[in-house]
Amino acid sequence: FYRNQKVEVSYGKWGFINNDGSVAIEPKYDFVYQFYKGAAIVKFKGKWGVINTNGEFLINPEYYKVERIEREGAVFFYVYKPQPRFGIIDTSGKTLLYPEYHKARNFVEDRLAVKTKKGWTFIDKRLMPIHNAVFEEVRDFSNGLAAVMQNRKWGFINRSGSTVIPCIYRDVIDFKCDRAWALVKGNWILINKYGKQIGKNTYKYPSQFSYNYATAKKEKGSKYGVVNVNGEFVSRPKFYQ
């Protein structure tokens, strides 16, 4: 109930009740989500906002969409204007990032990917851009590097926004255990954080590394084996999946 549950009463409107069944917040909302750390996302008169446990608006209901995020124990909200546009507001209602972005991902390794009309870029935990470049596509940071696309080719940047591996590959699989996979002429090669190929083998259908191992097929094989960070098969290919 109160804080953790919601109830629909009175002509299809939503509100909140206490554990004893008494009304805590009057049912006047189009829809509500559960309270979390003293705040709940609600829809009021067709627009989304955020209320506190007294039913007072922390974020006025004027947004096309609101989503909650949590970083380092603090709660923030993504807010979208009808265009839609993305921004960030904290639980006091303070705008930390003005809603000007078309899309956004989640904070990963203290970096947030956001999309402008020109393309994708990254901002840091201070909500400051880490570079001026924009990309056609990006993936979240992993192992200190993020995969980015320019001119329909993939490469990697570091947390400062500097290109460490040029965008020359048709596709990549994100770094884990200081290793990534890169697609070259229809087959995959294993690379390190400097973009240097590990070994001379090529592979098919590799998986992302975990605990220094990955699965893959040999270039002309039909079965999967286990590959170490040196690109060596430590288990001969004998698995179908």
Side-chain angles (χ1 to χ4, degrees):
F1 291 125
Y2 183 55
R3 296 187 181 179
N4 292 316
Q5 295 184 341
K6 53 183 179 282
V7 63
E8 181 182 16
V9 295
S10 184
Y11 304 104
K13 294 298 182 180
W14 292 79
F16 294 86
I17 61 175
N18 294 307
N19 290 326
D20 61 8
S22 61
V23 175
I25 298 176
E26 292 293 331
K28 60 181 179 180
Y29 305 102
D30 302 335
F31 193 76
V32 300
Y33 286 98
Q34 296 177 355
F35 273 96
Y36 181 74
K37 293 190 175 181
I41 298 172
V42 299
K43 189 176 186 180
F44 183 68
K45 295 184 178 180
K47 298 290 183 66
W48 291 92
V50 179
I51 61 172
N52 61 19
T53 54
N54 295 319
E56 301 165 335
F57 277 104
L58 297 172
I59 299 174
N60 288 328
E62 57 185 64
Y63 296 100
Y64 153 84
K65 184 179 179 182
V66 176
E67 294 179 339
R68 183 184 66 238
I69 60 170
E70 188 170 5
R71 189 178 80 240
E72 298 177 353
V75 175
F76 303 91
F77 296 92
Y78 289 164
V79 292
Y80 299 81
K81 289 287 190 178
Q83 288 79 0
R85 293 293 183 266
F86 156 87
I88 297 179
I89 294 177
D90 65 17
T91 53
S92 71
K94 180 181 178 182
T95 299
L96 303 181
L97 188 65
Y98 186 77
E100 59 181 325
Y101 297 103
H102 292 234
K103 291 183 180 179
R105 301 174 70 92
N106 289 320
F107 270 100
V108 178
E109 297 188 9
D110 288 333
R111 297 294 182 269
L112 173 68
V114 293
K115 187 177 183 181
T116 70
K117 63 181 180 180
K118 294 182 179 180
W120 287 90
T121 187
F122 286 89
I123 58 178
D124 61 22
K125 64 180 181 180
R126 300 170 301 164
L127 307 180
M128 299 295 292
I130 65 171
H131 56 71
N132 294 320
V134 293
F135 304 100
E136 297 159 23
E137 294 288 345
V138 299
R139 297 175 187 161
D140 290 331
F141 272 86
S142 177
N143 214 176
L145 300 179
V148 297
M149 178 192 282
Q150 280 186 326
N151 299 319
R152 303 183 69 180
K153 294 292 182 70
W154 288 90
F156 290 89
I157 63 171
N158 62 20
R159 285 163 46 83
S160 299
S162 300
T163 299
V164 294
I165 299 176
C167 295
I168 58 175
Y169 299 109
R170 288 181 55 192
D171 198 3
V172 293
I173 296 176
D174 293 345
F175 272 93
K176 281 288 181 120
C177 308
D178 292 338
R179 295 292 184 270
W181 298 98
L183 185 61
V184 179
K185 296 181 179 179
N187 288 300
W188 294 86
I189 63 171
L190 185 62
I191 60 174
N192 63 17
K193 286 189 169 183
Y194 300 99
K196 181 179 178 181
Q197 182 175 351
I198 304 298
K200 297 181 179 180
N201 293 330
T202 56
Y203 311 82
K204 289 185 176 180
Y205 309 113
S207 68
Q208 191 176 45
F209 273 85
S210 177
Y211 298 102
N212 294 322
Y213 296 99
T215 59
K217 292 182 179 181
K218 288 185 177 180
E219 179 182 346
K220 297 182 179 180
S222 61
K223 297 180 181 179
Y224 287 93
V226 178
V227 179
N228 65 17
V229 293
N230 297 317
E232 303 163 336
F233 278 97
V234 296
S235 171
R236 67 180 180 85
K238 58 181 179 180
F239 306 105
Y240 287 100
Q241 58 180 356

